[in-house]
Amino acid sequence: MVTAEAISARLELLGDPQAARFALRFFKTGPGEYGEGDLFRGIRVPVLRKLAFGLEGVPLPEVTLLLASPFHEDRLFALLLLIRRFRKAEIGEQETIYNLYLANTCRINNWDLVDVSAEHIVGAFLRKRDRAPLYRLAVSESLWERRIAIVSTFHFIRKGEFSDTLALAGMLLDDPEELIHKATGWMLREVGKRDLPGEEAFLQRHYRRMPRVMLRYAIERFAEEKRQRWLKGLV
């Protein structure tokens, strides 16, 4: 049986101290920053993805232990294993993985961890179910749970379903965290790639109230002249 301890030992061998030092700055791990205290081994994501191939059978208790690691890459690797396992699982096991994910949101505690996983587990599980859990996450005190809420809707967006993204974006307009502004603007931009009138209708209602970063992310792909009109309030 492949254990969390064995995986961590393998990841330790793959670490790069120079890359780890860069990651400490990039992921804002200083005092008072959103990633305060996180530890890094310095392993690139493609390396982790390649290593995860074929390890879907690692028992869920071991994956949960890995998700509790103080090292960022160990937690990311655990999430990659959960994603691969979820895709191949029957409905009952998918629900188990979904519940495991939501029970461990305190460990999914940086933007990359959320962004790599939320749509593939939370979004995928809720696609044909009641989506009320997303609305509960959207009012959580946890920055990461609120980001999970909006990023999970990327799964719906890819299926041509935009209503939950727009509803949650409306709820998050006054969020105090820039990481939520960026994620919400990103999801609005993804809606616009598929339904530009729908995105623009949302923007027309809310752009005066939207945080500037959210607006900039939402209109990033607009032609420059059009983008400037939105930024200057000339629409």
Side-chain angles (χ1 to χ4, degrees):
M1 181 182 76
V2 180
T3 65
E5 183 178 6
I7 292 172
S8 289
R10 177 73 182 277
L11 294 177
E12 184 177 1
L13 292 174
L14 293 172
D16 178 342
Q18 183 176 350
R21 287 193 294 272
F22 172 80
L24 288 172
R25 298 190 301 273
F26 183 75
F27 287 102
K28 308 296 184 185
T29 62
E33 295 182 310
Y34 60 74
E36 180 177 358
D38 207 354
L39 301 177
F40 286 81
R41 298 190 188 278
I43 308 172
R44 296 173 61 245
V45 174
V47 174
L48 295 173
R49 289 189 184 277
K50 184 176 181 180
L51 185 61
F53 184 80
L55 290 179
E56 300 87 354
V58 175
L60 290 179
E62 297 298 319
V63 179
T64 305
L65 286 174
L66 195 62
L67 193 55
S69 170
F71 286 96
H72 189 99
E73 290 91 344
D74 295 26
R75 302 196 304 280
L76 176 55
F77 191 75
L79 292 169
L80 293 174
L81 293 180
L82 289 176
I83 292 165
R84 294 185 62 84
R85 186 161 181 152
F86 184 95
R87 286 173 175 163
K88 297 184 176 183
E90 300 294 334
I91 292 174
E93 188 176 32
Q94 285 185 342
E95 184 172 9
T96 297
I97 294 169
Y98 164 81
N99 287 330
L100 186 159
Y101 186 96
L102 291 187
N104 287 276
T105 54
C106 63
R107 297 162 177 174
I108 307 167
N109 57 350
N110 214 308
W111 57 265
D112 65 317
L113 303 180
V114 172
D115 295 357
V116 79
S117 61
E119 65 165 305
H120 300 297
I121 295 177
V122 179
F125 184 75
L126 294 178
R127 165 111 195 278
K128 296 182 179 180
R129 295 175 174 84
D130 183 357
R131 297 173 185 180
L134 296 181
Y135 293 84
R136 292 194 290 272
L137 290 170
V139 296
S140 168
E141 293 183 0
S142 164
L143 157 65
W144 308 118
E145 290 190 347
R146 300 197 305 277
R147 189 165 176 121
I148 287 169
I150 190 66
V151 174
S152 292
T153 70
F154 203 176
H155 185 83
F156 311 154
I157 293 170
R158 293 183 193 276
K159 303 295 184 180
E161 302 170 11
F162 313 127
S163 60
D164 288 290
T165 302
L166 298 177
L168 289 164
M171 292 175 63
L172 295 169
L173 288 171
D174 297 319
D175 196 280
E177 297 288 349
E178 185 175 76
L179 284 173
I180 299 300
H181 305 167
K182 290 179 177 179
T184 304
W186 168 31
M187 290 302 104
L188 289 171
R189 184 173 73 238
E190 293 298 330
V191 170
K193 289 180 182 178
R194 299 156 175 86
D195 179 15
L196 183 58
E199 182 195 6
E200 291 189 318
F202 180 91
L203 294 176
Q204 191 66 56
R205 291 193 300 273
H206 299 297
Y207 79 95
R208 292 179 180 85
R209 177 181 162 195
M210 291 172 70
R212 201 68 168 173
V213 170
M214 188 186 297
L215 178 60
R216 287 185 179 278
Y217 269 61
I219 63 175
E220 188 176 59
R221 298 297 180 89
F222 287 11
E224 181 61 20
E225 181 181 351
K226 183 178 182 180
R227 198 174 68 85
Q228 289 299 324
R229 288 202 305 272
W230 280 104
L231 290 173
K232 295 174 181 178
L234 300 176
V235 291

